[in-house]
Amino acid sequence: MKILNWVSATLDHAVPLAALFRRAEASTPVGLDQRPESVHLRLATLGPDLARNTLVGVADDGAVAAYAEVADMGEADGVRRLRLTAVAHPELPADVRTELHRWLIERADQLRRAGGTAQAAVLGTRCAENDGAGHRLLIEDGFSLARHERDLVLAVPELPPAVEVPPGLVLESVDERYEELARLAHNEAYAESTAAVRPDQRSWPQHAITHPRFLPDLSCLLLAEVSRPDNPVAAFLFALADDDADEPIAVLHCLGTRPPWRRRGLATAMIVRALHQARSSSFRRLRLQVSDTNEPALALYRRLGFAESGRGYAVLMRQLTAD
Ligand SMILES: CC(C)(COP(=O)(O)OP(=O)(O)OC[C@H]1O[C@@H](n2cnc3c(N)ncnc32)[C@H](O)[C@@H]1OP(=O)(O)O)[C@@H](O)C(=O)NCCC(=O)NCCS
């Protein structure tokens, strides 16, 4: 197999790209979407940058066999965050991966220069734990390991433990009345996390309740009953359906407790409630991803019985600074 043609991606590539992602995930998993609808959403999210920030390699047999994408994740403190994705069909020669990588770095540098005030950029990319060649390519080009993302699973027990909510709090379904307060609670809970996305008002609905795979029954808020001057949303859990799995799996997409409410069993109560809801729906497993640097979350999940699925990946980063 070899690449004959390089083109920009269009939304019409969602179906062949989903096939490529599925093939790549089977050998070097990095958590890529594998359903055409999910890939369509991913491409659509790039908006007007889709053509400029993507590269699709068409092989001699007509199949889409390589893909590169730079996604602009926004600017913080004058530093632009760019997510790089490179996917090559396992039957392609190794130099295709190098070619994709070079294109990504060049495109990322163009974006950094076009960024006005942003003179520096941080590049982040995923690499499968078993992808030794990909890892070497990144390290040789100045990337370093930032963290490992663990993929954890838990079988839903027949009789989940009772949900125990601490006094003064009430578990509620996610309600649009609390949309902005839930966003503020989310961003406060994730304030210390360098890896987390902190959505603005525009991107928040898509992050959670209008996400096409949002699961309202498994998602919840924990609200302080007594009206307090501050945000009543003490904790939140947003769950999504895992469309890529062969069996029904619910993904704990984001979950957090605002700092003043921590270590009182709130996260545990929300996950146990999700187990009950999963049991009464068709879900038989819960899944989530957690960074190996997030010790509180790892301790929480371990205590609840979550175990590694083997589909974790590494995240590598590199600074791209002005010459
Ligand atoms: C991780 C997080 C959700 C835990 O929320 P929480 O409501 O404090 O969790 P719980 O009170 O239910 O904790 C249950 C158990 O988890 C473990 N745990 C939770 N936080 C811990 C910490 N900081 N250090 C060590 N163990 C911790 C403990 O075993 C704890 O039981 P204990 O308090 O009886 O010792 C919260 O710290 C948070 O919002 N972090 C930032 C957002 C985030 O990382 N979310 C998860 C992304 S994958």
Side-chain angles (χ1 to χ4, degrees):
M1 180 183 260
K2 62 176 186 199
I3 299 291
L4 282 190
N5 221 345
W6 291 104
V7 295
S8 296
T10 66
L11 295 178
D12 291 340
H13 283 111
V15 172
L17 278 176
L20 170 65
F21 291 0
R22 184 166 280 271
R23 181 69 179 81
E25 281 294 301
S27 53
T28 47
V30 289
L32 290 167
D33 302 308
Q34 296 168 50
R35 302 249 179 224
E37 313 81 67
S38 317
V39 177
H40 191 277
L41 179 69
R42 178 188 182 116
L43 298 175
T45 306
L46 295 175
D49 293 331
L50 176 62
R52 274 170 304 184
N53 290 356
T54 57
L55 187 66
V56 169
V58 184
D60 42 0
D61 63 358
V64 164
Y67 178 66
E69 172 197 294
V70 183
D72 190 340
M73 310 303 282
E75 190 186 320
D77 305 324
V79 179
R80 188 160 292 281
R81 294 194 305 159
L82 300 171
R83 185 191 68 196
L84 313 185
T85 305
V87 187
H89 192 287
E91 284 165 26
L92 283 171
D95 59 353
V96 173
R97 179 69 194 267
T98 312
E99 213 171 323
L100 289 173
H101 182 76
R102 287 214 188 100
W103 182 87
L104 284 168
I105 300 294
E106 203 178 300
R107 184 70 196 118
D109 200 39
Q110 286 164 3
L111 285 172
R112 176 187 69 74
R113 286 166 199 274
T117 53
Q119 290 301 305
V122 176
L123 313 183
T125 192
R126 296 176 181 187
C127 185
E129 300 288 0
N130 60 355
D131 183 6
H135 198 263
R136 274 192 300 282
L137 174 67
L138 291 165
I139 297 289
E140 278 164 18
D141 196 34
F143 281 77
S144 54
L145 180 69
R147 61 184 190 274
H148 295 276
E149 284 291 326
R150 305 286 180 214
D151 188 79
L152 306 183
V153 284
L154 175 66
V156 176
E158 290 217 7
L159 274 176
V163 184
E164 285 176 28
V165 180
L169 288 154
V170 58
L171 264 169
E172 292 270 355
S173 302
V174 178
D175 185 320
E176 60 190 26
R177 281 175 304 158
Y178 291 105
E179 190 167 325
E180 177 58 4
L181 292 169
R183 183 184 76 84
L184 294 172
H186 172 281
N187 290 357
E188 193 181 327
Y190 281 97
E192 302 290 301
S193 164
T194 48
V197 179
R198 282 179 286 281
D200 55 18
Q201 279 176 326
R202 188 189 48 83
S203 57
W204 173 246
Q206 196 176 323
H207 188 74
I209 60 172
T210 67
H211 192 288
R213 292 184 280 119
F214 180 60
L215 291 174
D217 292 348
L218 272 77
S219 305
C220 67
L221 301 176
L222 259 171
L223 302 176
E225 279 178 318
V226 185
S227 81
R228 296 162 61 106
D230 71 340
N231 189 347
V233 178
F236 55 87
L237 187 163
F238 297 106
L240 305 179
D242 181 352
D243 269 1
D244 295 324
D246 296 328
E247 58 172 337
I249 295 183
V251 179
L252 303 187
H253 170 58
C254 73
L255 142 86
T257 301
R258 286 175 49 226
W261 295 98
R262 287 185 185 161
R263 301 301 289 264
R264 299 196 213 173
L266 273 59
T268 304
M270 295 189 299
I271 297 172
V272 172
R273 179 186 178 274
L275 284 174
H276 280 268
Q277 297 295 102
R279 179 53 42 199
S280 50
S281 314
S282 53
F283 298 104
R284 290 296 168 260
R285 290 216 275 170
L286 298 188
R287 224 186 110 204
L288 59 87
Q289 276 177 356
V290 56
S291 160
D292 66 348
T293 54
N294 191 345
E295 284 175 17
L298 279 170
L300 164 76
Y301 302 138
R302 252 186 246 120
R303 196 165 118 152
L304 286 162
F306 281 85
E308 300 245 2
S309 74
R311 288 182 55 196
Y313 53 85
V315 175
L316 291 96
M317 295 187 132
R318 178 187 151 180
Q319 310 275 344
L320 204 58
T321 44
D323 314 315

